[in-house]
Amino acid sequence: MRSSPRVTVWNEYVNERTKPEVAKIYPKGMHEAIAQHLRSEGLAVRTATLDQPEHGLADDVLAETDVLIWLGHTAHDKVKDEIVDKVHRRILNGMGLIPLHSSHHSKIFRKLMGTSGDLKWREADERERIWVVAPGHPIVAGLPPYFEIPAEEMYGEYFDIPAPDKLVLISWFQGGEVFRSGCCFYRGRGKVFYFRPGHETYPTYYQPEVLRVIANAVHWSAPVAGPEIGHAWQAPLEQLQHETTS
Amino acid sequence: MRSSPRVTVWNEYVNERTKPEVAKIYPKGMHEAIAQHLRSEGLAVRTATLDQPEHGLADDVLAETDVLIWLGHTAHDKVKDEIVDKVHRRILNGMGLIPLHSSHHSKIFRKLMGTSGDLKWREADERERIWVVAPGHPIVAGLPPYFEIPAEEMYGEYFDIPAPDKLVLISWFQGGEVFRSGCCFYRGRGKVFYFRPGHETYPTYYQPEVLRVIANAVHWSAPVAGPEIGHAWQAPLEQLQHETTS
Amino acid sequence: MRSSPRVTVWNEYVNERTKPEVAKIYPKGMHEAIAQHLRSEGLAVRTATLDQPEHGLADDVLAETDVLIWLGHTAHDKVKDEIVDKVHRRILNGMGLIPLHSSHHSKIFRKLMGTSGDLKWREADERERIWVVAPGHPIVAGLPPYFEIPAEEMYGEYFDIPAPDKLVLISWFQGGEVFRSGCCFYRGRGKVFYFRPGHETYPTYYQPEVLRVIANAVHWSAPVAGPEIGHAWQAPLEQLQHETTS
Amino acid sequence: MRSSPRVTVWNEYVNERTKPEVAKIYPKGMHEAIAQHLRSEGLAVRTATLDQPEHGLADDVLAETDVLIWLGHTAHDKVKDEIVDKVHRRILNGMGLIPLHSSHHSKIFRKLMGTSGDLKWREADERERIWVVAPGHPIVAGLPPYFEIPAEEMYGEYFDIPAPDKLVLISWFQGGEVFRSGCCFYRGRGKVFYFRPGHETYPTYYQPEVLRVIANAVHWSAPVAGPEIGHAWQAPLEQLQHETTS
């Protein structure tokens, strides 16, 4: 357990380089917008992108990462299975994961959930209002009862995930849908927080409440010094008697 | 929703044909012991094994199966990925799954859980006592507060699974361990019940309480006529206004 | 476990007798609208009201009730504590409870939850859209992905309840709120399903989807023959050795 | 959210003053053993006992308490209902609660749980082995996969509590029982951690692993600056249109 978790923000970093309207909002990529905020809160943050060797997630990077933030969208299939497997093992061994928005369909999120990650969606510049349903949870520290995002992509139920270990946020959409937007999962020694907002054509990752949730989630999902896990034969801890009980 | 679920009992069916001490207990295979009991309760049951074409799980079989019972042990790796993928999709679309004992390491269970399924284990002819911790759950109908299995393999924590949606049974072992032995999971439209007992060198699948749990789990995990799920664009259900709220 | 649960629909039955606009919709009371539907599905249903001796919930009535549906609104405080205590004990011992709508503030629901049951509310004739978030759960059998109630009272988060053991339905409201509308709780040997809709000035309890949910919940919450529970000294089940482990 | 939660350790403080064998182990009371350890970790700790005015829990004390540790055993009924109600409200508004051992039958725990808190018990100087089943949870930081208490009172299932929001620890007992020993609950804005060990005739509250769990639980259950909660009418957040959707 560290007082200050070491964060890696991973981004496929495709739309920001191919779509001018996205580049205008996130000139250095969505990952840099998030990284910059987390650095301003005193965290040690590095970034990694799809086009780097090993997608920027070499063994030493993963070993030095306490919490991995994941931004995938149009290039999920380009992420190599062997990297996904390494990230998966690292999470089960304690690393936190924060999959954002369209990462609901990323290989790593689907692998961790065991479900499809499917949902309903629509891009219609509509208002999203995010409600807190777990007011005692550390991820909502500093939030009001709800906050609004003026325009976002819609994600609607049924969202095909296991029921979260803790459901923290539910979204309301102008067009008539609801969505489980902030979801905590424990997996192995690791913790996962899925957070919905962040379509690339909106300045969502500059909004203070959104950044607050992400920063809180970094602290919540950071590793704790819990016991080792694994598969093993175990010697009896008690003397085995082979009589029948009376 | 059918009044009487159609069951398929799948078994890798290896140990019963290679180890005389197992064949002696289960001369027709563990799957037949279970199938016979379920038939005696009036259920329509078929069986399938690893060595059959498509492991006995062709599309028409899966389509006509409401609940699949799974017995894998030494041959998990022999199960083809494409069959696992088909079973996985069928479960997310409503089929029940009951992975028994060593199926904690089967491909299908690991894929559904998103975790390793690792645990501690020992074969030492020791007593297991299984305690009910959810006395209002349909899977424990007809059970006493606890029941004993005179000799079993030990499985101990930490069992690397997501926290069950409902924890129903906890095992005590003579050698000093505990284990979450009866675990309900909802995944997509499907339901999964992991049940621990059943090492092949013991007559566990002839014990009435064990069979009672399996039969109850068949009824619990059978499909219900819930709504369709899937990934799709969705038109707005409300007229979208694009003014700002006051 | 009975194939056909015996239902008692309890209603404070005040508004229907004092407010003409309510009497017009529910001339025999809201309880009779619900009871009539359940009878049409073949269930044995009786009703009980606040003004009857012991509120219509004498010991023999409770003993013969498998599932109790509860409709309280303006007269929560008129319900005697001793009756609440008896109902509470009966639920912990296996009886199902289905508190509807404004029963979120009933004595029995608050006592079972351990929280305030507080929420946000508004009467503004607005549309409610109820989304299924657990498509494999028996309570949603026969439902589409969502259904609408043309006009209802609004209930909004934060709803002060423990996180449900299973969250089944989430409501969207026209005015901008969301609400956990269908919530399953296990308590002792009993099961509780809170269901939101049903303000007395709307014909909500004649709507087929609403009645379908209530009927499904009756079957889900009916008692199962699980083990007895209670507080007791227990003799050792194993021979106690008082040496130290090595 | 404070970096260092302010703790109050409440004890009925009866057995330590009436039973010499208890006084010998805890000469200043069990509360002082716990308080002393927490102070050694740098926490601000006060104590309160049943025989003080308002049981030592006057409004200003509660207002300045972030986490309340509760030790009740033989005098549950002596705790005044009005104090219980105040503690309850304070918890729903954010204060953490750590009920220890026999506090499973305290008024405040039963009120928060909505169940009886009943269990099986036995005093037989037997070994307890406590297993971690949530290796990523902050309450197990610094723990090995299991730890043993050489002699303790036995508590066995069925423990009549709602399923914990997170089950962290399960106990094995020499005499053949299991018990959910470390249980996290969210209630309102507050968090509750029930922890089983601590019979007064054993030096359990001097054992490092036990103290580690309690200290970790103090940090986990401390208030966060989440949104206010309460019951209120709410104005529409969106302009309400009263046309029907097409």
Side-chain angles (χ1 to χ4, degrees):
Chain A
M1 191 160 37
R2 298 167 164 278
S3 51
S4 185
R6 299 161 301 176
V7 180
T8 298
V9 186
W10 187 91
N11 186 6
E12 61 175 41
Y13 199 21
V14 172
N15 284 321
E16 298 95 324
R17 292 193 277 195
T18 56
K19 298 185 181 174
E21 72 274 24
V22 178
K24 195 172 163 189
I25 302 172
Y26 297 107
K28 295 180 180 172
M30 302 171 91
H31 52 297
E32 278 300 336
I34 293 168
Q36 184 173 348
H37 174 74
L38 296 177
R39 285 183 193 119
S40 79
E41 296 211 346
L43 292 164
V45 184
R46 66 170 98 195
T47 62
T49 55
L50 179 67
D51 58 357
Q52 295 173 332
E54 300 184 66
H55 308 326
L57 298 172
D59 289 359
D60 60 327
V61 174
L62 285 177
E64 292 167 8
T65 298
D66 293 314
V67 177
L68 178 63
I69 296 176
W70 194 272
L71 282 156
H73 192 175
T74 64
H76 295 315
D77 289 346
K78 299 249 167 41
V79 179
K80 289 176 199 159
D81 288 343
E82 73 229 43
I83 303 293
V84 173
D85 288 347
K86 280 201 300 187
V87 171
H88 185 247
R89 281 194 299 273
R90 181 77 183 87
I91 292 165
L92 294 187
N93 200 29
M95 185 176 70
L97 179 76
I98 304 176
L100 294 172
H101 189 62
S102 44
S103 305
H104 71 91
H105 259 174
S106 63
K107 286 183 178 177
I108 184 61
F109 186 63
R110 293 167 80 143
K111 187 178 179 77
L112 278 162
M113 296 294 105
T115 54
S116 67
D118 286 350
L119 47 78
K120 301 291 178 295
W121 62 277
R122 173 178 65 235
E123 295 181 42
D125 287 347
E126 69 200 275
R127 187 158 44 248
E128 176 177 14
R129 185 174 293 107
I130 299 183
W131 291 88
V132 172
V133 297
H137 198 279
I139 285 180
V140 305
L143 292 187
Y146 66 86
F147 64 93
E148 295 178 10
I149 302 180
E152 253 289 353
E153 184 181 5
M154 185 283 294
Y155 277 7
E157 296 284 348
Y158 172 68
F159 182 20
D160 189 23
I161 50 169
D165 290 292
K166 191 72 190 168
L167 175 62
V168 174
L169 302 167
I170 298 177
S171 287
W172 175 99
F173 287 96
Q174 212 177 351
E177 292 83 5
V178 298
F179 195 75
R180 289 169 291 169
S181 273
C183 298
C184 297
F185 303 93
Y186 286 77
R187 291 297 182 270
R189 300 171 84 207
K191 293 184 280 290
V192 178
F193 182 68
Y194 174 81
F195 187 39
R196 198 214 76 83
H199 191 61
E200 71 268 12
T201 59
Y202 306 108
T204 299
Y205 292 134
Y206 296 107
Q207 186 168 330
E209 297 95 334
V210 170
L211 293 169
R212 179 75 196 239
V213 169
I214 294 173
N216 286 345
V218 164
H219 290 282
W220 173 79
S221 66
V224 298
E228 298 288 319
I229 65 177
H231 196 68
W233 179 86
Q234 178 159 307
L237 302 166
E238 300 284 329
Q239 187 182 334
L240 288 173
Q241 309 156 275
H242 291 295
E243 324 83 322
T244 311
T245 46
S246 58
Chain B
M1 192 159 37
R2 296 167 165 279
S3 51
S4 184
R6 299 161 300 176
V7 180
T8 298
V9 186
W10 187 91
N11 186 6
E12 62 175 40
Y13 198 21
V14 173
N15 284 321
E16 298 95 324
R17 292 193 276 195
T18 56
K19 298 185 181 173
E21 73 274 24
V22 178
K24 195 172 164 188
I25 302 172
Y26 297 107
K28 295 180 180 173
M30 301 170 91
H31 52 297
E32 278 301 336
I34 293 168
Q36 184 173 348
H37 174 75
L38 296 177
R39 286 184 193 118
S40 79
E41 296 211 346
L43 293 164
V45 184
R46 67 171 98 196
T47 62
T49 55
L50 179 67
D51 58 357
Q52 294 173 333
E54 301 184 65
H55 308 325
L57 298 171
D59 289 359
D60 60 327
V61 174
L62 285 177
E64 292 167 8
T65 298
D66 292 314
V67 177
L68 178 63
I69 296 176
W70 194 272
L71 282 156
H73 192 174
T74 63
H76 295 316
D77 288 346
K78 298 249 166 43
V79 179
K80 289 177 200 159
D81 288 343
E82 72 228 45
I83 303 293
V84 173
D85 289 347
K86 281 201 300 187
V87 171
H88 184 247
R89 281 194 299 272
R90 182 77 183 86
I91 292 165
L92 295 187
N93 200 29
M95 184 176 71
L97 179 76
I98 304 176
L100 293 173
H101 189 62
S102 43
S103 305
H104 71 91
H105 259 174
S106 64
K107 286 183 178 178
I108 183 61
F109 186 63
R110 293 167 79 143
K111 187 178 180 77
L112 279 162
M113 296 295 104
T115 54
S116 67
D118 286 350
L119 47 78
K120 301 291 178 295
W121 61 278
R122 173 178 65 234
E123 295 182 42
D125 287 347
E126 69 200 275
R127 187 157 45 248
E128 175 177 14
R129 184 174 294 108
I130 299 183
W131 291 88
V132 172
V133 297
H137 197 279
I139 285 180
V140 305
L143 292 187
Y146 66 86
F147 64 94
E148 295 178 10
I149 302 180
E152 253 290 353
E153 184 182 5
M154 186 283 294
Y155 277 8
E157 297 284 349
Y158 171 68
F159 182 20
D160 190 23
I161 50 169
D165 289 292
K166 192 71 190 168
L167 175 62
V168 174
L169 303 167
I170 298 177
S171 286
W172 175 100
F173 286 96
Q174 212 176 351
E177 291 83 5
V178 298
F179 195 74
R180 289 169 291 168
S181 273
C183 299
C184 297
F185 303 93
Y186 286 78
R187 291 298 182 271
R189 301 171 84 207
K191 292 184 281 289
V192 178
F193 182 69
Y194 174 81
F195 187 39
R196 197 213 77 82
H199 191 61
E200 72 267 12
T201 59
Y202 306 108
T204 300
Y205 292 134
Y206 297 107
Q207 186 168 329
E209 296 95 334
V210 170
L211 293 169
R212 179 75 197 239
V213 169
I214 294 173
N216 286 345
V218 164
H219 290 282
W220 173 79
S221 66
V224 298
E228 297 289 319
I229 65 176
H231 197 68
W233 180 86
Q234 179 159 307
L237 302 167
E238 300 284 328
Q239 188 182 333
L240 288 172
Q241 309 156 275
H242 290 295
E243 324 83 320
T244 311
T245 45
S246 59
Chain C
M1 191 159 37
R2 299 169 162 276
S3 51
S4 185
R6 300 161 300 177
V7 180
T8 298
V9 185
W10 187 92
N11 187 6
E12 61 175 41
Y13 199 21
V14 172
N15 284 321
E16 298 95 324
R17 292 194 277 195
T18 56
K19 298 185 181 174
E21 72 275 24
V22 178
K24 195 171 163 189
I25 302 172
Y26 297 107
K28 295 180 180 174
M30 301 170 91
H31 52 296
E32 278 300 336
I34 293 168
Q36 183 173 348
H37 174 74
L38 296 177
R39 285 183 193 118
S40 79
E41 296 212 346
L43 292 164
V45 183
R46 66 170 98 195
T47 62
T49 54
L50 179 67
D51 58 357
Q52 294 173 333
E54 301 184 66
H55 308 325
L57 297 172
D59 289 359
D60 60 327
V61 175
L62 285 177
E64 292 167 9
T65 298
D66 293 314
V67 177
L68 178 63
I69 296 176
W70 194 273
L71 281 156
H73 192 175
T74 63
H76 295 316
D77 288 347
K78 298 249 166 43
V79 179
K80 290 176 199 158
D81 287 343
E82 73 229 43
I83 303 293
V84 173
D85 288 347
K86 280 201 301 186
V87 171
H88 184 247
R89 281 194 299 273
R90 181 78 183 86
I91 292 165
L92 295 187
N93 200 30
M95 184 176 71
L97 179 76
I98 304 176
L100 294 172
H101 189 62
S102 44
S103 305
H104 71 91
H105 259 175
S106 64
K107 286 183 178 178
I108 183 61
F109 186 63
R110 293 167 79 144
K111 188 178 179 76
L112 278 162
M113 296 295 105
T115 54
S116 67
D118 287 350
L119 47 77
K120 301 291 179 294
W121 61 278
R122 172 178 66 235
E123 295 181 41
D125 286 347
E126 70 200 275
R127 187 157 46 248
E128 176 177 13
R129 185 174 293 108
I130 299 183
W131 291 88
V132 172
V133 297
H137 198 279
I139 285 180
V140 305
L143 292 187
Y146 66 87
F147 63 94
E148 295 178 11
I149 302 180
E152 253 289 354
E153 184 182 4
M154 185 283 294
Y155 277 8
E157 296 284 348
Y158 172 68
F159 182 20
D160 190 23
I161 51 169
D165 289 292
K166 191 72 190 167
L167 175 63
V168 175
L169 303 167
I170 298 177
S171 287
W172 175 100
F173 286 96
Q174 212 177 350
E177 291 83 5
V178 298
F179 195 74
R180 288 169 291 168
S181 272
C183 299
C184 297
F185 303 93
Y186 286 77
R187 291 297 182 271
R189 300 171 84 206
K191 293 184 281 290
V192 178
F193 182 69
Y194 174 81
F195 187 39
R196 197 213 77 82
H199 191 61
E200 72 268 13
T201 59
Y202 306 107
T204 300
Y205 292 133
Y206 296 107
Q207 186 167 330
E209 297 95 334
V210 170
L211 293 169
R212 179 75 197 238
V213 169
I214 294 173
N216 286 345
V218 164
H219 290 282
W220 174 79
S221 66
V224 298
E228 297 289 319
I229 65 177
H231 197 68
W233 180 87
Q234 178 159 308
L237 302 167
E238 300 284 329
Q239 187 181 333
L240 288 172
Q241 308 156 275
H242 290 295
E243 323 84 320
T244 311
T245 46
S246 59
Chain D
M1 192 159 36
R2 297 168 164 278
S3 51
S4 184
R6 299 161 300 177
V7 180
T8 298
V9 186
W10 187 91
N11 187 6
E12 61 176 41
Y13 198 21
V14 172
N15 284 321
E16 298 95 324
R17 292 193 277 195
T18 55
K19 298 185 181 174
E21 72 274 24
V22 178
K24 195 172 164 190
I25 302 172
Y26 297 107
K28 295 179 179 173
M30 302 171 90
H31 52 297
E32 278 300 336
I34 293 168
Q36 184 173 348
H37 174 75
L38 296 178
R39 286 183 193 118
S40 79
E41 296 211 345
L43 292 164
V45 184
R46 67 171 97 196
T47 61
T49 55
L50 180 66
D51 58 357
Q52 294 173 332
E54 301 184 65
H55 309 325
L57 297 171
D59 289 359
D60 60 327
V61 174
L62 285 177
E64 292 168 8
T65 298
D66 292 314
V67 177
L68 178 63
I69 296 176
W70 194 272
L71 281 156
H73 192 174
T74 64
H76 295 316
D77 288 347
K78 298 250 166 42
V79 179
K80 289 177 199 158
D81 287 343
E82 73 228 44
I83 303 293
V84 173
D85 288 347
K86 281 201 301 187
V87 171
H88 184 247
R89 280 194 299 273
R90 182 77 183 87
I91 292 165
L92 294 187
N93 200 29
M95 184 176 70
L97 179 76
I98 304 176
L100 293 173
H101 189 62
S102 44
S103 306
H104 71 91
H105 259 174
S106 63
K107 286 183 178 178
I108 184 61
F109 186 63
R110 293 167 79 144
K111 187 177 180 77
L112 278 162
M113 296 295 105
T115 54
S116 67
D118 287 350
L119 47 78
K120 301 291 179 293
W121 62 278
R122 172 178 65 235
E123 295 181 42
D125 287 347
E126 69 200 275
R127 188 157 45 249
E128 176 177 13
R129 185 175 293 108
I130 300 183
W131 291 88
V132 172
V133 297
H137 198 279
I139 285 180
V140 305
L143 292 187
Y146 67 86
F147 63 93
E148 295 178 10
I149 302 180
E152 253 289 355
E153 184 181 5
M154 185 283 293
Y155 277 8
E157 297 283 348
Y158 172 68
F159 182 20
D160 189 22
I161 50 170
D165 290 291
K166 192 71 190 167
L167 175 62
V168 175
L169 303 167
I170 298 177
S171 287
W172 175 100
F173 286 95
Q174 212 177 351
E177 291 83 5
V178 298
F179 195 74
R180 289 169 290 169
S181 272
C183 298
C184 297
F185 303 93
Y186 286 77
R187 291 298 182 269
R189 300 171 84 206
K191 293 184 280 291
V192 178
F193 182 69
Y194 174 81
F195 187 39
R196 197 213 77 83
H199 191 61
E200 72 268 12
T201 59
Y202 306 108
T204 299
Y205 292 134
Y206 296 107
Q207 186 168 330
E209 296 95 335
V210 170
L211 293 169
R212 179 75 197 239
V213 169
I214 294 173
N216 286 345
V218 164
H219 290 282
W220 173 79
S221 66
V224 298
E228 298 288 319
I229 65 177
H231 197 68
W233 180 87
Q234 178 159 308
L237 302 166
E238 300 285 328
Q239 188 181 333
L240 288 173
Q241 308 156 276
H242 290 295
E243 324 83 319
T244 312
T245 45
S246 58

